[in-house]
Amino acid sequence: MDLNIIQKVCLVGDPGVGKTSLVRRFVLDQFNDRYITTVGTKVTKKKMKLTLQDGAIKAEVILMIWDVAGQKKTLQTKQMYFRGSKGALVVCDLTRHETLEGLKSIISDVQGETGNIPIIVMANKADLVDEIKYGVQDIRDCLGEVKIFITSAKTGVNVEEAFAGIGEDIVQIVLDGNEEGP
Ligand code: G3D
Ligand code: MG
């Protein structure tokens, strides 16, 4: 079966965790050490080819990736940002524990607006090995059973895999919806 899907995903997480850098790495395969400031909201489009169920399903998924600037947002802007998202990439910074602590309430804000969409955690800055403060088990203790990717926008490790992960979860939901019937 061939599927063509276009869906919105949003990137969330505290300022400075690497959201903009991760999109840049994924879409352009680049990392820029200069601070990249996101002004307002930036939407980046990226096409992915995915195969699921041992090749039985081939899907072309276009992700519309919403990336938001760091400032605190009003409730209304937040709702607009989350609304219609079919998946969320939740980013924390492995060198700052407080960026993990905030994620639980961020996730409930998102799912309050979108319902129970798939979530992927990107624990970023894995290249800063000497500064890492926590690991996968701490993330599970904090957030429960979630898919976690230990990433680095700088080296590129696991970045593609994490975006593919959210793509696959979205395809799976479309497939499950098709199976439900009338
Ligand atoms: P944000 O969009 O979540 O606010 P940015 O975060 O993508 O703007 O990144 C914030 C800072 O972290 C930037 O550095 C950026 O270069 C750095 N950064 C992002 N991802 C990584 C990573 O995986 N490894 C390392 N070592 N640095 C990363 P500055 O110094 O400009 O603040
Ligand atoms: Mg940014």
Side-chain angles (χ1 to χ4, degrees), residues 1 23 25 33 57 65 78 80 103 110 129 140 155 176 179:
M1 178 164 45
V23 179
R25 164 61 67 195
D33 264 311
I57 311 259
I65 306 161
K78 273 195 196 165
M80 225 187 66
L103 285 189
V110 174
V129 277
R140 287 205 199 293
T155 67
D176 294 346
E179 278 161 18

Side-chain angles (χ1 to χ4, degrees), residues 140-157:
R140 287 205 199 293
D141 291 346
C142 183
L143 302 177
E145 214 24 70
V146 278
K147 282 194 195 165
I148 302 164
F149 290 84
I150 304 290
T151 63
S152 167
K154 187 162 189 171
T155 67
V157 68

Side-chain angles (χ1 to χ4, degrees), residues 19-141:
K19 300 181 294 298
T20 303
S21 303
L22 287 163
V23 179
R24 190 180 168 85
R25 164 61 67 195
F26 178 53
V27 175
L28 303 173
D29 204 20
Q30 280 176 10
F31 180 78
N32 194 337
D33 264 311
R34 254 185 34 241
Y35 196 91
I36 315 149
T37 313
T38 330
V39 182
T41 301
K42 185 163 191 248
V43 182
T44 309
K45 192 170 141 184
K46 168 85 176 184
K47 192 193 284 184
M48 285 189 298
K49 289 190 184 344
L50 300 172
T51 51
L52 285 90
Q53 300 179 5
D54 292 326
I57 311 259
K58 289 191 173 55
E60 193 173 275
V61 182
I62 297 174
L63 295 183
M64 306 297 294
I65 306 161
W66 286 50
D67 178 24
V68 77
Q71 303 90 358
K72 279 226 175 345
K73 290 279 173 284
T74 64
L75 187 62
Q76 211 182 7
T77 359
K78 273 195 196 165
Q79 286 173 338
M80 225 187 66
Y81 182 69
F82 300 150
R83 186 164 301 153
S85 295
K86 294 295 186 267
L89 292 156
V90 177
V91 187
C92 54
D93 176 344
L94 286 166
T95 70
R96 289 184 292 142
H97 194 271
E98 70 272 19
T99 65
L100 170 62
E101 289 154 24
L103 285 189
K104 207 173 172 137
S105 76
I106 295 179
I107 292 173
S108 69
D109 281 356
V110 174
Q111 292 192 325
E113 187 60 37
T114 61
N116 192 24
I117 57 170
I119 300 280
I120 296 252
V121 176
M122 298 172 92
N124 191 41
K125 307 200 186 179
D127 58 287
L128 298 175
V129 277
D130 296 335
E131 294 168 51
I132 290 178
K133 301 288 188 317
Y134 58 92
V136 169
Q137 193 53 51
D138 303 292
I139 300 172
R140 287 205 199 293
D141 291 346

